[in-house]
Amino acid sequence: MIEDDAYRASSQYRYWSYTKESLSRIRHNTNDLASERVRAAFRRAQTAAKTSRNGAADSNTDADANVDNEKTQLSPDVGEDLVEIQTLTVDEELKIVEWGCQKIMDMGEAMNPRIPTAIVATAIQYLRRFYLTNSPMTYHPKQIMMCALYLATKSDHFYISLPRFISELANVSEDNVKAPEFLLLQGLRFTLDVRHPMKGLQGGHIEMNEMAEEGLIRGIKGERRDREKRIGAAADQAKELLATAAQMTDAYFLFTPAQIWLGAVMVADRELVERYLDAKIDGLRKLPSGMLPVNDAEEEKAREAFRTKLLATISSCASLLEDYKSPDNDAASRKEMKRIGKKLTVCQNPEKVDIVAVARAKAAEKREGDASDKEAKAKKRRLEREKSARDADVFGPDLRDSK
């Protein structure tokens, strides 16, 4: 709880842990870069459309060309307004990502057999991590979320064959799931490990019951059944928060798994968590960071400072989880999501709309490149063989051949 060396060595801590400020900065940079690329893509599309129209006009007769010119004057050029297109804001992008996370939850529940909560949570974190450095304006979540869920089943060893997986989804082909996989892996920096707070909650639930039974948690009184009921109710509410609010917020980016599950329990029963932490801190034999106390007064002062800091962190996590409200329960939020969805349809990067087509084009380009490389290598070997054959006889060619 003090120096979790195992967690600090994980890829989640090293690559996916941020402060609120750094997280906001990354998202703003991603949004700015994506907005520039979207506008550039629309300008290229506009230029191509103008070139196509001009070429068609040159091939027509003068009369037809005059008619086309009149029509052009009556209506704006195709794509003219799209150059100044309104792109998504950072908050709007985040709402779109949350929509994708909710869809992953729905897919996990609809599967037969139902995909476990921890694996669904892994898929959601894949999606959230991917969109730290990628924008929904570039790759729509509906193109990534199915791949994220299938990748999570593989990385968490919950085997489902691809044909079986797509049979549980409507209007989905194998290419829809496979095409974004390498792109998703790149966005994840090829780090597939996700540390969840669910197991910590299970262990904490058991430990709280044992400590309460031994009388180590002060203030938790009553019969054994009453104590277990209170702790169990708090654990059940925390479990629900870990499956919903913890997935739909930035909790995984801002806090450790231990802080997240303690924050979830604090939402349900603050006094229980405070008493539990008091008992854990009282049981410490050594202060944080290896600092040994010189006397009892110094030890007590250090313990109190550590307790204050720890409770502040967990309280911050609890506030984040408690403040989350599902958009499905709010008519205004649903209306806002429809507006953002329509806006995204307009400002979607036209060059990245179909990931399957892009993946096929890249594969074809790679095959053609491989074929040309093979031809070049074969030609080089052939020339080397011919040269070797000519130079094979150290005494030179036959005299009759040299005439």
Side-chain angles (χ1 to χ4, degrees), residues 20 97 195 236 240 249 273 328 353 376:
K20 290 183 179 180
V97 173
R195 305 294 179 94
D236 289 342
E240 181 66 23
T249 62
V273 173
D328 293 338
V353 170

Side-chain angles (χ1 to χ4, degrees), residues 99-117:
W99 171 85
C101 295
Q102 184 61 55
K103 290 300 179 183
I104 289 179
M105 287 186 185
D106 296 341
M107 284 191 292
E109 292 179 357
M111 289 284 178
N112 184 21
R114 180 176 177 177
I115 297 180
T117 302

Side-chain angles (χ1 to χ4, degrees), residues 106-164:
D106 296 341
M107 284 191 292
E109 292 179 357
M111 289 284 178
N112 184 21
R114 180 176 177 177
I115 297 180
T117 302
I119 297 177
V120 172
T122 296
I124 289 174
Q125 294 310 310
Y126 285 171
L127 195 74
R128 296 185 70 86
R129 291 177 180 183
F130 177 80
Y131 283 109
L132 281 184
T133 53
N134 292 277
S135 168
M137 292 185 289
T138 307
Y139 303 107
H140 198 292
K142 68 183 180 182
Q143 298 176 307
I144 306 296
M145 58 192 186
M146 292 176 292
C147 180
L149 182 57
Y150 188 64
L151 183 62
T153 63
K154 294 193 291 183
S155 64
D156 283 355
H157 310 293
F158 186 78
Y159 177 74
I160 301 178
S161 67
L162 185 55
R164 172 70 181 276

